[in-house]
Amino acid sequence: MKINLFVLDNIELKIEKNLLSLPIDFIDNLIKTNLLLTYIERLITQSLLMEKELAKEDEIKLNNAYCKSHRIKNEEELNHDLHEQGIRYKDHINNLKTSFYISNIAMDMYEVKAEAHFLKRKDQLDQYTYSLLRVKDSDLAYELYLQIESKENNFTDISRKYSEGPEKNTNGIIGPASIERTHPLLKEKLKSSSKGNLSQPFKIEQWWVFTRLEDKVEATFNDTMKAKMSLELLNISITSISKRIAYKVIKSINN
């Protein structure tokens, strides 16, 4: 059975009511330890999963995959692992159930909005790989730029020897990564550049910088991306609802 957006409205009212029925000391402790939002988010997620049940074969398969990924060889090691996490076996299975179903629930609720969300996020999702060198001396920057442009020296050797930023440790290579949080001027240079193009030195704050775009992988809207965007939208909704509930609960116990 598909879950629609109206379910979240009902869950919000139910959780708000249940929280307000709990002892004030318990709520107060959640607030003091900054756990109230996390607690509400978990309640919302569990409410969405309430009617979902794992078939025994899926439970075994998921548990085996968990053990393999955590290099757990037997039941004794699994029990030790769960003890270290401070959870019971049934809580462990519940966590596996969450990971198994949550993507399907997200698709049920947000599949139709996933592409629009992707288009808003595309600039953040595109992956860039580029070479970069930064120095504080403008004359040195131009000299090194000319050496690379004329192929007298290569970018890797020059950056490793002269660059004054952390890229020195990676032979001048940055990425593949999003450029969403890079300096606006560098971001503009990379977005307008073609693969293999070497920019002339330009100033960013106290640095003289030049760069060369090595590769750009544009994000595409396929089934995997649709699932990812749907899950993002679900998490955004859960966070928003949790904040509303937390505000009402705190306001209520303060009165």
Side-chain angles (χ1 to χ4, degrees), residues 17-130:
K17 182 179 178 181
N18 287 346
L19 278 173
L20 290 173
S21 69
L22 294 174
I24 290 179
D25 286 348
F26 175 73
I27 300 297
D28 195 48
N29 282 332
L30 288 175
I31 296 168
K32 286 177 181 177
T33 53
N34 294 321
L35 290 174
L36 181 59
L37 273 177
T38 301
Y39 182 70
I40 296 171
E41 287 171 357
R42 295 289 176 87
L43 289 177
I44 294 171
T45 301
Q46 292 307 309
S47 296
L48 287 170
L49 293 164
M50 192 172 293
E51 296 183 5
K52 301 290 185 180
E53 291 294 335
L54 269 182
K56 192 64 182 178
E57 61 186 42
D58 289 326
E59 178 183 322
I60 293 169
K61 190 184 298 182
L62 289 168
N63 186 54
N64 288 342
Y66 175 88
C67 290
K68 184 177 180 180
S69 67
H70 290 77
R71 298 181 179 178
I72 294 170
K73 300 183 184 67
N74 51 49
E75 187 176 344
E76 183 181 349
E77 288 187 10
L78 175 60
N79 289 333
H80 177 73
D81 176 74
L82 299 181
H83 177 74
E84 290 290 304
Q85 295 182 61
I87 62 174
R88 299 164 296 183
Y89 180 77
K90 67 178 182 179
D91 302 316
H92 164 63
I93 295 302
N94 195 50
N95 289 338
L96 295 179
K97 183 178 86 169
T98 300
S99 64
F100 186 72
Y101 282 117
I102 199 67
S103 291
N104 289 338
I105 289 172
M107 286 283 282
D108 283 351
M109 300 175 74
Y110 292 103
E111 181 180 6
V112 295
K113 297 183 178 182
E115 188 169 10
H117 184 59
F118 164 77
L119 293 173
K120 289 180 183 176
R121 292 260 287 115
K122 188 178 180 304
D123 278 353
Q124 300 167 355
L125 297 167
D126 290 342
Q127 298 287 295
Y128 289 77
T129 303
Y130 56 98

